[in-house]
Amino acid sequence: MPAAVLAVLADLRTTPAVVLGRFMDILAWNDLAAELLLDFASVPEEHRNYLWLTFLDPRTRERVPDWDLSAGECVAYLRMDAGRYPSDPRLAELVAELSAEDSDFQHWWTTYRVSGRSFGSKRILHPVVGEVRLDWQVLTVAQERDQFLAVMPAADEESRQRLTALSTP
């Protein structure tokens, strides 16, 4: 991963951000993303995947009030990635595990919906600061074809204040 991308992550103190790889693997994150979403360092590396966490980690489901919309969008994004890398064994393993463990994933995977959205809105329910509204953007990492920086700035002033509270030691 380019050092400049890691520097950007570290400098984003009041904006949660993660670096995603192929099939939504979580490659890096900043402190605020870990505080708001999930302590990714506590997750075994083989499960540091946004889809795996969305469908199989109950902590993630608890924090996303619009879980069905978010989860469906994640599957559609994976379907786009699958079109680019249809023979990748990592894809086959991930789809097999998620299909076996979660009927929602299995249903959405078989609908063949594809999405390449690179922006949107999301709500997170944090156990300490409450609801945080985010407007997310996915930015391509120029040096790495399969890496994307997902930044999640606050969507309103109340959310900005809540993110600031989380980012203050």
Side-chain angles (χ1 to χ4, degrees):
M1 173 165 325
V5 174
L6 294 174
V8 168
L9 279 178
D11 285 348
L12 290 171
R13 291 185 178 86
T14 59
T15 300
V18 297
V19 177
L20 299 171
R22 189 183 294 186
F23 311 129
M24 299 182 78
D25 286 334
I26 299 167
L27 306 176
W29 56 90
N30 65 4
D31 291 341
L32 189 52
E35 182 61 41
L36 181 66
L37 303 172
L38 183 67
D39 178 9
F40 299 112
S42 72
V43 176
E45 194 170 335
E46 65 271 13
H47 294 153
R48 284 187 202 149
N49 175 279
Y50 202 79
L51 280 147
W52 194 96
L53 293 169
T54 295
F55 285 95
L56 301 182
D57 189 307
R59 298 171 296 181
T60 303
R61 280 190 193 224
E62 291 170 3
R63 290 197 182 192
V64 181
D66 304 314
W67 182 86
D68 56 337
L69 296 172
S70 180
E73 189 69 24
C74 285
V75 175
Y77 190 83
L78 180 65
R79 182 59 76 180
M80 182 193 66
D81 246 6
R84 293 190 333 217
Y85 308 103
S87 302
D88 190 304
R90 169 84 173 107
L91 172 67
E93 291 170 14
L94 183 60
V95 169
E97 180 178 13
L98 293 173
S99 294
E101 298 293 327
D102 190 280
S103 60
D104 288 324
F105 176 85
Q106 184 180 35
H107 168 73
W108 285 322
W109 183 252
T110 59
T111 65
Y112 292 94
R113 183 171 160 251
V114 177
S115 177
R117 277 188 34 177
S118 58
F119 63 92
S121 298
K122 112 181 281 153
R123 296 183 307 145
I124 301 293
L125 293 178
H126 190 273
V128 174
V129 299
E131 182 177 291
V132 178
R133 294 177 178 273
L134 305 167
D135 287 330
W136 57 269
Q137 293 277 323
V138 176
L139 310 170
T140 302
V141 175
Q143 300 96 320
E144 298 290 337
R145 188 176 120 189
D146 290 333
Q147 291 183 8
F148 305 91
L149 176 64
V151 293
M152 298 164 263
D156 54 48
E157 185 56 35
E158 187 174 348
S159 295
R160 187 176 332 284
Q161 291 173 2
R162 290 175 179 183
L163 287 176
T164 300
L166 281 177
S167 64
T168 305

